[in-house]
Amino acid sequence: QAEPAKLSAREAGARYGQALGAIEICHGSKVTAAGDALGQNFTGADHDVFKAQAAKVFEAWRQVKACSNAADPNTCKIIMDKSCATAEQEIGPSGTVMPGLVEFMKH
């Protein structure tokens, strides 16, 4: 598990973008105080890197949310479900990478 203070600005930004993306498509999820505070560890150029990486990852989640496949709409649902499961595994309350960034609805 990574500690926020030891993460690079890029990695922290990626996890913050993942957290923002998760709350866009994972029903009942919300960013925690720890998630909201993640960017506060960075200033200057590092903060710019953090924000840029967060925006890049969040945009990928937005594309998942906008998924449309007229031939097989279930494909989009499967991609969303897998993305949410991965986010919960990595940044959820018991996350393997950076726990506690997002709270997920109980299954």
Side-chain angles (χ1 to χ4, degrees), residues 17-103:
Q18 183 182 26
L20 294 178
I23 65 170
E24 283 287 312
I25 67 170
C26 307
H27 182 72
S29 61
K30 66 180 183 178
V31 176
T32 65
D36 285 335
L38 196 54
Q40 295 174 0
N41 296 320
F42 303 101
T43 58
D46 283 342
H47 193 256
D48 293 342
V49 168
F50 172 87
K51 289 191 314 186
Q53 190 65 19
K56 181 180 176 183
V57 171
F58 179 68
E59 181 55 32
W61 279 82
R62 285 178 35 92
Q63 290 177 14
V64 168
K65 184 178 180 181
C67 177
S68 83
N69 182 343
D72 185 8
N74 286 330
T75 300
C76 294
K77 175 77 169 113
I78 291 167
I79 292 168
M80 288 181 202
D81 288 349
K82 284 187 177 185
S83 295
C84 290
T86 299
E88 186 170 5
Q89 179 184 19
E90 293 177 352
I91 62 172
S94 300
T96 57
V97 177
M98 183 173 279
L101 297 185
V102 177
E103 290 178 11

